[in-house]
Amino acid sequence: MHKIQAFDDCVSELSRLPGIGPKTASRLAMHLLKMKPEDVRRLSEHLIAFKEKTVSCNICGGISENDVCPICRDSYRNTGILCVVEEAKDLFVIEQTGYFKGRYHVLGGKISPLDGVGPDNLRIANLADRIVQENIGEVIIATNPDVDGETTAAYLIRIMKKYPKLKITKLASGIAIGTHIEYADEITVVRALEGRREIC
Amino acid sequence: MHKIQAFDDCVSELSRLPGIGPKTASRLAMHLLKMKPEDVRRLSEHLIAFKEKTVSCNICGGISENDVCPICRDSYRNTGILCVVEEAKDLFVIEQTGYFKGRYHVLGGKISPLDGVGPDNLRIANLADRIVQENIGEVIIATNPDVDGETTAAYLIRIMKKYPKLKITKLASGIAIGTHIEYADEITVVRALEGRREIC
């Protein structure tokens, strides 16, 4: 088969992205050919700009265009509540709901012995410092409800029990809105039962 | 909600790509943050390079780094058979099998009245010229088996019937390998029955 080097290079670069296999990569590459040259250039420039302009926020570890992110700088946010997430992308999802008015703490991952990630590789010591220095009243643990996320949550709870006045909460687990109980896995159903709420 | 302009720009550019919605786009953007700066730069450069280095082949309409693509230049290919595809990406899929040794003709789309694409917008006149000039003996129609693809195929057949010596063939429709008859749609099953082959 004849090869077009520029096409193969483009496909191999796109295939490195998460969730993009060789088929999707070549479909995306073919789409580039239909785009206007200035659009392809703008796409590329925005990818580089995002990478080069953003840094980790010195306080929460989220992404920011300055040393301190807009959320940590915002004096209207509730400074007594911290929501602890694994990654900055989780922060975005919670922030998009507009419901949470406190601030965040990004761990930068989760405890995962298989991947060689221990508590020391995460921003956990940093979290302990913040609890004291910022006089935090409540920590909401918002790690993912998978094995590693639950391990991380359990570890955080053990660490934070040292602060007697600190309220520790965790995101509710249960049946996701819009799905059917029929399709929920057993653990989710058990969690939904455990976390049942009294209506009247 | 606080916005990070570089993030929003990056997500909005990625969301324009086919099959990438806002959720996937923001997941990809977050992945960029974890990549090394030089990797992001290389990805961007390859996207631009592919767009800028490739042109349409003057003969078949496929993609090429020169005026004439390697397939059309290759003297070992069977010059008497043309495989007619809608888009260059279809050419790639067929070429990857390594089975077809003839050459291609890329229409550049399919007849689609709803999208305002008629026969004049496709490289059909060009195909007719090639049949005569290149003394083509067989044309394999490899349009997609959807409504517009079948319309295009029917139109091509009508045009090509003018050449009495030309053999016109079409890709077989039927049950895809690896799937189950149980899940095939009715039309596919009918096509598979119509196209049944005598084994012994």
PDB file of all heavy atoms in Angstrom, chain A residues 1-2 4 13 29 32-35 41-42 50-52 54 63 74 87, chain B residues 1-2 4 13 29 33-35 41-42 50-52 54 63 74 87 95:
ATOM      1  N   MET A   1       0.834  -1.211   0.000  1.00  0.00           N
ATOM      2  CA  MET A   1       0.000   0.000   0.000  1.00  0.00           C
ATOM      3  C   MET A   1       0.866   1.257   0.000  1.00  0.00           C
ATOM      4  O   MET A   1       1.877   1.335   0.677  1.00  0.00           O
ATOM      5  CB  MET A   1      -0.852  -0.014   1.271  1.00  0.00           C
ATOM      6  CG  MET A   1      -1.877   1.094   1.291  1.00  0.00           C
ATOM      7  SD  MET A   1      -2.429   1.488   2.950  1.00  0.00           S
ATOM      8  CE  MET A   1      -2.892   3.199   2.705  1.00  0.00           C
ATOM      9  N   HIS A   2       0.460   2.229  -0.791  1.00  0.00           N
ATOM     10  CA  HIS A   2       1.213   3.479  -0.841  1.00  0.00           C
ATOM     11  C   HIS A   2       0.949   4.301   0.399  1.00  0.00           C
ATOM     12  O   HIS A   2      -0.174   4.375   0.881  1.00  0.00           O
ATOM     13  CB  HIS A   2       0.823   4.264  -2.082  1.00  0.00           C
ATOM     14  CG  HIS A   2       1.394   3.661  -3.308  1.00  0.00           C
ATOM     15  ND1 HIS A   2       2.726   3.717  -3.595  1.00  0.00           N
ATOM     16  CD2 HIS A   2       0.823   2.953  -4.302  1.00  0.00           C
ATOM     17  CE1 HIS A   2       2.955   3.086  -4.723  1.00  0.00           C
ATOM     18  NE2 HIS A   2       1.810   2.600  -5.174  1.00  0.00           N
ATOM     19  N   ILE A   4       1.229   8.017   2.492  1.00  0.00           N
ATOM     20  CA  ILE A   4       1.431   9.450   2.410  1.00  0.00           C
ATOM     21  C   ILE A   4       1.933   9.849   3.786  1.00  0.00           C
ATOM     22  O   ILE A   4       1.206   9.772   4.782  1.00  0.00           O
ATOM     23  CB  ILE A   4       0.117  10.161   2.026  1.00  0.00           C
ATOM     24  CG1 ILE A   4      -0.207   9.783   0.584  1.00  0.00           C
ATOM     25  CG2 ILE A   4       0.236  11.667   2.190  1.00  0.00           C
ATOM     26  CD1 ILE A   4      -1.548  10.215   0.126  1.00  0.00           C
ATOM     27  N   GLU A  13      -0.080  10.963  15.450  1.00  0.00           N
ATOM     28  CA  GLU A  13      -0.139  11.961  16.533  1.00  0.00           C
ATOM     29  C   GLU A  13      -1.533  11.994  17.162  1.00  0.00           C
ATOM     30  O   GLU A  13      -1.671  12.042  18.377  1.00  0.00           O
ATOM     31  CB  GLU A  13       0.203  13.357  15.999  1.00  0.00           C
ATOM     32  CG  GLU A  13       1.678  13.579  15.743  1.00  0.00           C
ATOM     33  CD  GLU A  13       2.528  13.452  16.996  1.00  0.00           C
ATOM     34  OE1 GLU A  13       2.045  13.806  18.086  1.00  0.00           O
ATOM     35  OE2 GLU A  13       3.672  12.975  16.887  1.00  0.00           O
ATOM     36  N   ALA A  29      -8.276  13.165  10.504  1.00  0.00           N
ATOM     37  CA  ALA A  29      -7.276  13.675   9.560  1.00  0.00           C
ATOM     38  C   ALA A  29      -7.941  14.013   8.224  1.00  0.00           C
ATOM     39  O   ALA A  29      -7.677  15.054   7.633  1.00  0.00           O
ATOM     40  CB  ALA A  29      -6.157  12.653   9.372  1.00  0.00           C
ATOM     41  N   LEU A  32      -9.627  17.224   8.300  1.00  0.00           N
ATOM     42  CA  LEU A  32      -8.733  18.389   8.209  1.00  0.00           C
ATOM     43  C   LEU A  32      -8.595  18.851   6.762  1.00  0.00           C
ATOM     44  O   LEU A  32      -8.502  20.033   6.476  1.00  0.00           O
ATOM     45  CB  LEU A  32      -7.335  18.036   8.746  1.00  0.00           C
ATOM     46  CG  LEU A  32      -7.206  17.766  10.241  1.00  0.00           C
ATOM     47  CD1 LEU A  32      -5.771  17.387  10.559  1.00  0.00           C
ATOM     48  CD2 LEU A  32      -7.615  18.981  11.050  1.00  0.00           C
ATOM     49  N   LEU A  33      -8.593  17.855   5.845  1.00  0.00           N
ATOM     50  CA  LEU A  33      -8.434  18.190   4.428  1.00  0.00           C
ATOM     51  C   LEU A  33      -9.599  19.029   3.913  1.00  0.00           C
ATOM     52  O   LEU A  33      -9.447  19.797   2.976  1.00  0.00           O
ATOM     53  CB  LEU A  33      -8.354  16.917   3.591  1.00  0.00           C
ATOM     54  CG  LEU A  33      -7.080  16.107   3.721  1.00  0.00           C
ATOM     55  CD1 LEU A  33      -7.131  14.950   2.766  1.00  0.00           C
ATOM     56  CD2 LEU A  33      -5.876  16.987   3.437  1.00  0.00           C
ATOM     57  N   LYS A  34     -10.766  18.837   4.542  1.00  0.00           N
ATOM     58  CA  LYS A  34     -11.943  19.589   4.089  1.00  0.00           C
ATOM     59  C   LYS A  34     -12.035  20.964   4.735  1.00  0.00           C
ATOM     60  O   LYS A  34     -12.825  21.796   4.317  1.00  0.00           O
ATOM     61  CB  LYS A  34     -13.214  18.802   4.435  1.00  0.00           C
ATOM     62  CG  LYS A  34     -13.393  17.540   3.633  1.00  0.00           C
ATOM     63  CD  LYS A  34     -14.834  17.093   3.697  1.00  0.00           C
ATOM     64  CE  LYS A  34     -15.158  16.176   2.542  1.00  0.00           C
ATOM     65  NZ  LYS A  34     -16.582  15.848   2.490  1.00  0.00           N
ATOM     66  N   MET A  35     -11.265  21.138   5.825  1.00  0.00           N
ATOM     67  CA  MET A  35     -11.324  22.418   6.531  1.00  0.00           C
ATOM     68  C   MET A  35     -10.514  23.463   5.772  1.00  0.00           C
ATOM     69  O   MET A  35      -9.613  23.138   5.010  1.00  0.00           O
ATOM     70  CB  MET A  35     -10.743  22.256   7.941  1.00  0.00           C
ATOM     71  CG  MET A  35     -11.670  21.541   8.900  1.00  0.00           C
ATOM     72  SD  MET A  35     -10.827  21.038  10.438  1.00  0.00           S
ATOM     73  CE  MET A  35     -10.495  22.616  11.210  1.00  0.00           C
ATOM     74  N   ARG A  41      -5.045  26.002  11.045  1.00  0.00           N
ATOM     75  CA  ARG A  41      -4.000  26.763  11.723  1.00  0.00           C
ATOM     76  C   ARG A  41      -4.513  27.294  13.071  1.00  0.00           C
ATOM     77  O   ARG A  41      -3.814  27.230  14.083  1.00  0.00           O
ATOM     78  CB  ARG A  41      -3.559  27.921  10.819  1.00  0.00           C
ATOM     79  CG  ARG A  41      -2.281  28.587  11.241  1.00  0.00           C
ATOM     80  CD  ARG A  41      -1.682  29.395  10.103  1.00  0.00           C
ATOM     81  NE  ARG A  41      -0.879  28.563   9.236  1.00  0.00           N
ATOM     82  CZ  ARG A  41       0.368  28.165   9.533  1.00  0.00           C
ATOM     83  NH1 ARG A  41       0.931  28.516  10.672  1.00  0.00           N
ATOM     84  NH2 ARG A  41       1.044  27.411   8.694  1.00  0.00           N
ATOM     85  N   ARG A  42      -5.762  27.764  13.084  1.00  0.00           N
ATOM     86  CA  ARG A  42      -6.312  28.316  14.331  1.00  0.00           C
ATOM     87  C   ARG A  42      -6.460  27.211  15.380  1.00  0.00           C
ATOM     88  O   ARG A  42      -6.135  27.402  16.552  1.00  0.00           O
ATOM     89  CB  ARG A  42      -7.663  28.982  14.062  1.00  0.00           C
ATOM     90  CG  ARG A  42      -8.000  30.037  15.114  1.00  0.00           C
ATOM     91  CD  ARG A  42      -9.329  30.694  14.852  1.00  0.00           C
ATOM     92  NE  ARG A  42     -10.372  29.697  14.720  1.00  0.00           N
ATOM     93  CZ  ARG A  42     -11.195  29.620  13.688  1.00  0.00           C
ATOM     94  NH1 ARG A  42     -11.104  30.471  12.694  1.00  0.00           N
ATOM     95  NH2 ARG A  42     -12.125  28.677  13.652  1.00  0.00           N
ATOM     96  N   PHE A  50      -3.252  26.976  24.702  1.00  0.00           N
ATOM     97  CA  PHE A  50      -3.818  26.444  25.951  1.00  0.00           C
ATOM     98  C   PHE A  50      -2.715  25.813  26.794  1.00  0.00           C
ATOM     99  O   PHE A  50      -2.638  26.020  28.002  1.00  0.00           O
ATOM    100  CB  PHE A  50      -4.916  25.433  25.627  1.00  0.00           C
ATOM    101  CG  PHE A  50      -5.479  24.744  26.831  1.00  0.00           C
ATOM    102  CD1 PHE A  50      -5.938  25.467  27.922  1.00  0.00           C
ATOM    103  CD2 PHE A  50      -5.558  23.357  26.888  1.00  0.00           C
ATOM    104  CE1 PHE A  50      -6.459  24.833  29.042  1.00  0.00           C
ATOM    105  CE2 PHE A  50      -6.079  22.719  27.995  1.00  0.00           C
ATOM    106  CZ  PHE A  50      -6.524  23.461  29.077  1.00  0.00           C
ATOM    107  N   LYS A  51      -1.869  25.045  26.115  1.00  0.00           N
ATOM    108  CA  LYS A  51      -0.797  24.366  26.834  1.00  0.00           C
ATOM    109  C   LYS A  51       0.181  25.371  27.424  1.00  0.00           C
ATOM    110  O   LYS A  51       0.629  25.228  28.559  1.00  0.00           O
ATOM    111  CB  LYS A  51      -0.069  23.433  25.857  1.00  0.00           C
ATOM    112  CG  LYS A  51       1.112  22.701  26.441  1.00  0.00           C
ATOM    113  CD  LYS A  51       0.670  21.671  27.457  1.00  0.00           C
ATOM    114  CE  LYS A  51       1.856  21.032  28.152  1.00  0.00           C
ATOM    115  NZ  LYS A  51       1.427  20.163  29.246  1.00  0.00           N
ATOM    116  N   GLU A  52       0.506  26.400  26.642  1.00  0.00           N
ATOM    117  CA  GLU A  52       1.568  27.307  27.080  1.00  0.00           C
ATOM    118  C   GLU A  52       1.083  28.395  28.033  1.00  0.00           C
ATOM    119  O   GLU A  52       1.855  28.896  28.839  1.00  0.00           O
ATOM    120  CB  GLU A  52       2.261  27.917  25.857  1.00  0.00           C
ATOM    121  CG  GLU A  52       3.023  26.833  25.108  1.00  0.00           C
ATOM    122  CD  GLU A  52       3.847  27.320  23.940  1.00  0.00           C
ATOM    123  OE1 GLU A  52       3.689  28.500  23.560  1.00  0.00           O
ATOM    124  OE2 GLU A  52       4.635  26.523  23.407  1.00  0.00           O
ATOM    125  N   THR A  54      -1.459  28.092  30.279  1.00  0.00           N
ATOM    126  CA  THR A  54      -2.021  27.668  31.555  1.00  0.00           C
ATOM    127  C   THR A  54      -0.979  27.013  32.454  1.00  0.00           C
ATOM    128  O   THR A  54      -0.087  26.321  31.992  1.00  0.00           O
ATOM    129  CB  THR A  54      -3.189  26.679  31.341  1.00  0.00           C
ATOM    130  OG1 THR A  54      -2.742  25.632  30.507  1.00  0.00           O
ATOM    131  CG2 THR A  54      -4.384  27.366  30.724  1.00  0.00           C
ATOM    132  N   ILE A  63      -6.364  24.408  37.012  1.00  0.00           N
ATOM    133  CA  ILE A  63      -5.641  25.102  35.960  1.00  0.00           C
ATOM    134  C   ILE A  63      -5.972  26.590  35.989  1.00  0.00           C
ATOM    135  O   ILE A  63      -7.057  26.994  36.399  1.00  0.00           O
ATOM    136  CB  ILE A  63      -5.886  24.517  34.555  1.00  0.00           C
ATOM    137  CG1 ILE A  63      -7.349  24.623  34.159  1.00  0.00           C
ATOM    138  CG2 ILE A  63      -5.426  23.086  34.489  1.00  0.00           C
ATOM    139  CD1 ILE A  63      -7.560  24.304  32.691  1.00  0.00           C
ATOM    140  N   ASP A  74     -11.385  34.679  44.126  1.00  0.00           N
ATOM    141  CA  ASP A  74     -12.734  35.256  44.237  1.00  0.00           C
ATOM    142  C   ASP A  74     -13.170  35.408  45.697  1.00  0.00           C
ATOM    143  O   ASP A  74     -13.367  34.433  46.408  1.00  0.00           O
ATOM    144  CB  ASP A  74     -13.712  34.338  43.480  1.00  0.00           C
ATOM    145  CG  ASP A  74     -15.102  34.935  43.392  1.00  0.00           C
ATOM    146  OD1 ASP A  74     -15.377  35.917  44.105  1.00  0.00           O
ATOM    147  OD2 ASP A  74     -15.910  34.405  42.601  1.00  0.00           O
ATOM    148  N   GLU A  87      -8.869  15.394  39.642  1.00  0.00           N
ATOM    149  CA  GLU A  87      -8.230  16.115  38.545  1.00  0.00           C
ATOM    150  C   GLU A  87      -8.949  17.446  38.295  1.00  0.00           C
ATOM    151  O   GLU A  87     -10.123  17.588  38.633  1.00  0.00           O
ATOM    152  CB  GLU A  87      -8.349  15.292  37.242  1.00  0.00           C
ATOM    153  CG  GLU A  87      -7.778  13.906  37.318  1.00  0.00           C
ATOM    154  CD  GLU A  87      -6.280  13.869  37.085  1.00  0.00           C
ATOM    155  OE1 GLU A  87      -5.675  14.941  36.892  1.00  0.00           O
ATOM    156  OE2 GLU A  87      -5.718  12.749  37.102  1.00  0.00           O
TER     157      GLU A  87
ATOM    158  N   MET B   1     -19.836  31.029  36.869  1.00  0.00           N
ATOM    159  CA  MET B   1     -18.661  30.176  36.777  1.00  0.00           C
ATOM    160  C   MET B   1     -17.472  30.918  36.164  1.00  0.00           C
ATOM    161  O   MET B   1     -17.624  31.673  35.211  1.00  0.00           O
ATOM    162  CB  MET B   1     -19.010  28.963  35.897  1.00  0.00           C
ATOM    163  CG  MET B   1     -17.894  27.955  35.865  1.00  0.00           C
ATOM    164  SD  MET B   1     -17.999  26.860  34.439  1.00  0.00           S
ATOM    165  CE  MET B   1     -16.297  26.383  34.277  1.00  0.00           C
ATOM    166  N   HIS B   2     -16.304  30.698  36.731  1.00  0.00           N
ATOM    167  CA  HIS B   2     -15.113  31.350  36.213  1.00  0.00           C
ATOM    168  C   HIS B   2     -14.660  30.680  34.932  1.00  0.00           C
ATOM    169  O   HIS B   2     -14.704  29.473  34.809  1.00  0.00           O
ATOM    170  CB  HIS B   2     -13.996  31.291  37.242  1.00  0.00           C
ATOM    171  CG  HIS B   2     -14.237  32.244  38.358  1.00  0.00           C
ATOM    172  ND1 HIS B   2     -14.095  33.591  38.207  1.00  0.00           N
ATOM    173  CD2 HIS B   2     -14.648  32.050  39.630  1.00  0.00           C
ATOM    174  CE1 HIS B   2     -14.384  34.188  39.343  1.00  0.00           C
ATOM    175  NE2 HIS B   2     -14.735  33.273  40.222  1.00  0.00           N
ATOM    176  N   ILE B   4     -11.707  30.114  31.890  1.00  0.00           N
ATOM    177  CA  ILE B   4     -10.310  30.244  31.493  1.00  0.00           C
ATOM    178  C   ILE B   4     -10.340  30.296  29.979  1.00  0.00           C
ATOM    179  O   ILE B   4     -10.671  29.314  29.309  1.00  0.00           O
ATOM    180  CB  ILE B   4      -9.483  29.064  32.036  1.00  0.00           C
ATOM    181  CG1 ILE B   4      -9.421  29.208  33.556  1.00  0.00           C
ATOM    182  CG2 ILE B   4      -8.089  29.048  31.431  1.00  0.00           C
ATOM    183  CD1 ILE B   4      -8.815  28.044  34.270  1.00  0.00           C
ATOM    184  N   GLU B  13     -12.608  24.927  19.641  1.00  0.00           N
ATOM    185  CA  GLU B  13     -11.968  24.500  18.388  1.00  0.00           C
ATOM    186  C   GLU B  13     -12.063  22.982  18.217  1.00  0.00           C
ATOM    187  O   GLU B  13     -12.376  22.498  17.135  1.00  0.00           O
ATOM    188  CB  GLU B  13     -10.492  24.908  18.365  1.00  0.00           C
ATOM    189  CG  GLU B  13     -10.256  26.391  18.111  1.00  0.00           C
ATOM    190  CD  GLU B  13     -10.773  26.845  16.762  1.00  0.00           C
ATOM    191  OE1 GLU B  13     -10.739  26.049  15.814  1.00  0.00           O
ATOM    192  OE2 GLU B  13     -11.230  27.997  16.661  1.00  0.00           O
ATOM    193  N   ALA B  29      -8.794  18.400  25.926  1.00  0.00           N
ATOM    194  CA  ALA B  29      -8.064  19.603  26.348  1.00  0.00           C
ATOM    195  C   ALA B  29      -7.349  19.334  27.670  1.00  0.00           C
ATOM    196  O   ALA B  29      -6.180  19.691  27.839  1.00  0.00           O
ATOM    197  CB  ALA B  29      -9.024  20.778  26.486  1.00  0.00           C
ATOM    198  N   LEU B  33      -2.945  19.198  28.918  1.00  0.00           N
ATOM    199  CA  LEU B  33      -2.218  19.732  30.079  1.00  0.00           C
ATOM    200  C   LEU B  33      -1.229  18.724  30.637  1.00  0.00           C
ATOM    201  O   LEU B  33      -0.219  19.092  31.230  1.00  0.00           O
ATOM    202  CB  LEU B  33      -3.198  20.113  31.186  1.00  0.00           C
ATOM    203  CG  LEU B  33      -4.044  21.346  30.938  1.00  0.00           C
ATOM    204  CD1 LEU B  33      -4.857  21.647  32.161  1.00  0.00           C
ATOM    205  CD2 LEU B  33      -3.172  22.534  30.592  1.00  0.00           C
ATOM    206  N   LYS B  34      -1.563  17.440  30.481  1.00  0.00           N
ATOM    207  CA  LYS B  34      -0.678  16.395  31.011  1.00  0.00           C
ATOM    208  C   LYS B  34       0.444  16.049  30.046  1.00  0.00           C
ATOM    209  O   LYS B  34       1.397  15.374  30.410  1.00  0.00           O
ATOM    210  CB  LYS B  34      -1.484  15.125  31.286  1.00  0.00           C
ATOM    211  CG  LYS B  34      -2.452  15.253  32.439  1.00  0.00           C
ATOM    212  CD  LYS B  34      -2.847  13.878  32.927  1.00  0.00           C
ATOM    213  CE  LYS B  34      -3.396  13.948  34.329  1.00  0.00           C
ATOM    214  NZ  LYS B  34      -3.612  12.626  34.897  1.00  0.00           N
ATOM    215  N   MET B  35       0.273  16.448  28.779  1.00  0.00           N
ATOM    216  CA  MET B  35       1.289  16.118  27.780  1.00  0.00           C
ATOM    217  C   MET B  35       2.489  17.045  27.941  1.00  0.00           C
ATOM    218  O   MET B  35       2.385  18.144  28.477  1.00  0.00           O
ATOM    219  CB  MET B  35       0.710  16.271  26.369  1.00  0.00           C
ATOM    220  CG  MET B  35      -0.240  15.162  25.966  1.00  0.00           C
ATOM    221  SD  MET B  35      -1.179  15.567  24.469  1.00  0.00           S
ATOM    222  CE  MET B  35       0.091  15.549  23.214  1.00  0.00           C
ATOM    223  N   ARG B  41       3.203  20.617  20.789  1.00  0.00           N
ATOM    224  CA  ARG B  41       3.699  21.371  19.646  1.00  0.00           C
ATOM    225  C   ARG B  41       3.824  20.465  18.413  1.00  0.00           C
ATOM    226  O   ARG B  41       3.441  20.832  17.315  1.00  0.00           O
ATOM    227  CB  ARG B  41       5.049  21.999  20.013  1.00  0.00           C
ATOM    228  CG  ARG B  41       5.528  23.067  19.054  1.00  0.00           C
ATOM    229  CD  ARG B  41       6.597  23.917  19.698  1.00  0.00           C
ATOM    230  NE  ARG B  41       6.034  24.970  20.519  1.00  0.00           N
ATOM    231  CZ  ARG B  41       5.529  26.102  20.032  1.00  0.00           C
ATOM    232  NH1 ARG B  41       5.506  26.318  18.729  1.00  0.00           N
ATOM    233  NH2 ARG B  41       5.026  27.009  20.832  1.00  0.00           N
ATOM    234  N   ARG B  42       4.332  19.235  18.617  1.00  0.00           N
ATOM    235  CA  ARG B  42       4.499  18.324  17.483  1.00  0.00           C
ATOM    236  C   ARG B  42       3.145  17.926  16.897  1.00  0.00           C
ATOM    237  O   ARG B  42       2.968  17.884  15.687  1.00  0.00           O
ATOM    238  CB  ARG B  42       5.281  17.080  17.924  1.00  0.00           C
ATOM    239  CG  ARG B  42       5.962  16.387  16.767  1.00  0.00           C
ATOM    240  CD  ARG B  42       6.707  15.152  17.194  1.00  0.00           C
ATOM    241  NE  ARG B  42       5.834  14.253  17.924  1.00  0.00           N
ATOM    242  CZ  ARG B  42       6.087  13.785  19.137  1.00  0.00           C
ATOM    243  NH1 ARG B  42       7.197  14.104  19.762  1.00  0.00           N
ATOM    244  NH2 ARG B  42       5.227  12.977  19.725  1.00  0.00           N
ATOM    245  N   PHE B  50       0.075  18.340   7.519  1.00  0.00           N
ATOM    246  CA  PHE B  50      -0.773  17.461   6.702  1.00  0.00           C
ATOM    247  C   PHE B  50      -1.664  18.314   5.801  1.00  0.00           C
ATOM    248  O   PHE B  50      -1.817  18.032   4.611  1.00  0.00           O
ATOM    249  CB  PHE B  50      -1.619  16.572   7.612  1.00  0.00           C
ATOM    250  CG  PHE B  50      -2.614  15.721   6.885  1.00  0.00           C
ATOM    251  CD1 PHE B  50      -2.221  14.917   5.830  1.00  0.00           C
ATOM    252  CD2 PHE B  50      -3.952  15.714   7.254  1.00  0.00           C
ATOM    253  CE1 PHE B  50      -3.133  14.123   5.154  1.00  0.00           C
ATOM    254  CE2 PHE B  50      -4.860  14.929   6.580  1.00  0.00           C
ATOM    255  CZ  PHE B  50      -4.455  14.131   5.526  1.00  0.00           C
ATOM    256  N   LYS B  51      -2.239  19.366   6.401  1.00  0.00           N
ATOM    257  CA  LYS B  51      -3.130  20.228   5.634  1.00  0.00           C
ATOM    258  C   LYS B  51      -2.363  20.939   4.515  1.00  0.00           C
ATOM    259  O   LYS B  51      -2.855  21.055   3.391  1.00  0.00           O
ATOM    260  CB  LYS B  51      -3.755  21.260   6.583  1.00  0.00           C
ATOM    261  CG  LYS B  51      -4.678  22.258   5.916  1.00  0.00           C
ATOM    262  CD  LYS B  51      -5.917  21.587   5.395  1.00  0.00           C
ATOM    263  CE  LYS B  51      -6.773  22.542   4.590  1.00  0.00           C
ATOM    264  NZ  LYS B  51      -7.940  21.870   4.038  1.00  0.00           N
ATOM    265  N   GLU B  52      -1.172  21.411   4.826  1.00  0.00           N
ATOM    266  CA  GLU B  52      -0.460  22.250   3.867  1.00  0.00           C
ATOM    267  C   GLU B  52       0.310  21.454   2.822  1.00  0.00           C
ATOM    268  O   GLU B  52       0.534  21.934   1.723  1.00  0.00           O
ATOM    269  CB  GLU B  52       0.458  23.226   4.612  1.00  0.00           C
ATOM    270  CG  GLU B  52      -0.390  24.225   5.387  1.00  0.00           C
ATOM    271  CD  GLU B  52       0.409  25.322   6.075  1.00  0.00           C
ATOM    272  OE1 GLU B  52       1.641  25.202   6.127  1.00  0.00           O
ATOM    273  OE2 GLU B  52      -0.229  26.276   6.553  1.00  0.00           O
ATOM    274  N   THR B  54      -0.563  18.394   1.603  1.00  0.00           N
ATOM    275  CA  THR B  54      -1.336  17.508   0.739  1.00  0.00           C
ATOM    276  C   THR B  54      -2.260  18.283  -0.201  1.00  0.00           C
ATOM    277  O   THR B  54      -2.797  19.320   0.148  1.00  0.00           O
ATOM    278  CB  THR B  54      -2.176  16.521   1.567  1.00  0.00           C
ATOM    279  OG1 THR B  54      -2.934  17.260   2.500  1.00  0.00           O
ATOM    280  CG2 THR B  54      -1.313  15.513   2.282  1.00  0.00           C
ATOM    281  N   ILE B  63      -5.920  12.012  -2.046  1.00  0.00           N
ATOM    282  CA  ILE B  63      -4.958  12.948  -1.492  1.00  0.00           C
ATOM    283  C   ILE B  63      -3.546  12.538  -1.857  1.00  0.00           C
ATOM    284  O   ILE B  63      -3.263  11.356  -2.048  1.00  0.00           O
ATOM    285  CB  ILE B  63      -5.094  13.131   0.034  1.00  0.00           C
ATOM    286  CG1 ILE B  63      -4.789  11.844   0.788  1.00  0.00           C
ATOM    287  CG2 ILE B  63      -6.460  13.659   0.386  1.00  0.00           C
ATOM    288  CD1 ILE B  63      -4.649  12.064   2.277  1.00  0.00           C
ATOM    289  N   ASP B  74       1.956   4.623 -10.074  1.00  0.00           N
ATOM    290  CA  ASP B  74       2.519   3.279  -9.960  1.00  0.00           C
ATOM    291  C   ASP B  74       2.232   2.445 -11.204  1.00  0.00           C
ATOM    292  O   ASP B  74       1.088   2.105 -11.493  1.00  0.00           O
ATOM    293  CB  ASP B  74       1.899   2.610  -8.711  1.00  0.00           C
ATOM    294  CG  ASP B  74       2.530   1.266  -8.416  1.00  0.00           C
ATOM    295  OD1 ASP B  74       3.249   0.735  -9.279  1.00  0.00           O
ATOM    296  OD2 ASP B  74       2.288   0.744  -7.320  1.00  0.00           O
ATOM    297  N   GLU B  87     -15.210   9.368  -1.084  1.00  0.00           N
ATOM    298  CA  GLU B  87     -14.221  10.253  -0.469  1.00  0.00           C
ATOM    299  C   GLU B  87     -12.859   9.561  -0.426  1.00  0.00           C
ATOM    300  O   GLU B  87     -12.779   8.332  -0.428  1.00  0.00           O
ATOM    301  CB  GLU B  87     -14.613  10.555   0.987  1.00  0.00           C
ATOM    302  CG  GLU B  87     -15.998  11.163   1.171  1.00  0.00           C
ATOM    303  CD  GLU B  87     -16.008  12.651   0.930  1.00  0.00           C
ATOM    304  OE1 GLU B  87     -14.927  13.208   0.612  1.00  0.00           O
ATOM    305  OE2 GLU B  87     -17.078  13.252   1.040  1.00  0.00           O
ATOM    306  N   GLU B  95      -7.591   0.532   0.200  1.00  0.00           N
ATOM    307  CA  GLU B  95      -6.160   0.372  -0.041  1.00  0.00           C
ATOM    308  C   GLU B  95      -5.492  -0.404   1.091  1.00  0.00           C
ATOM    309  O   GLU B  95      -4.581  -1.200   0.873  1.00  0.00           O
ATOM    310  CB  GLU B  95      -5.539   1.761  -0.210  1.00  0.00           C
ATOM    311  CG  GLU B  95      -4.134   1.780  -0.727  1.00  0.00           C
ATOM    312  CD  GLU B  95      -3.964   1.141  -2.097  1.00  0.00           C
ATOM    313  OE1 GLU B  95      -4.947   0.799  -2.748  1.00  0.00           O
ATOM    314  OE2 GLU B  95      -2.789   0.953  -2.483  1.00  0.00           O
TER     315      GLU B  95
END
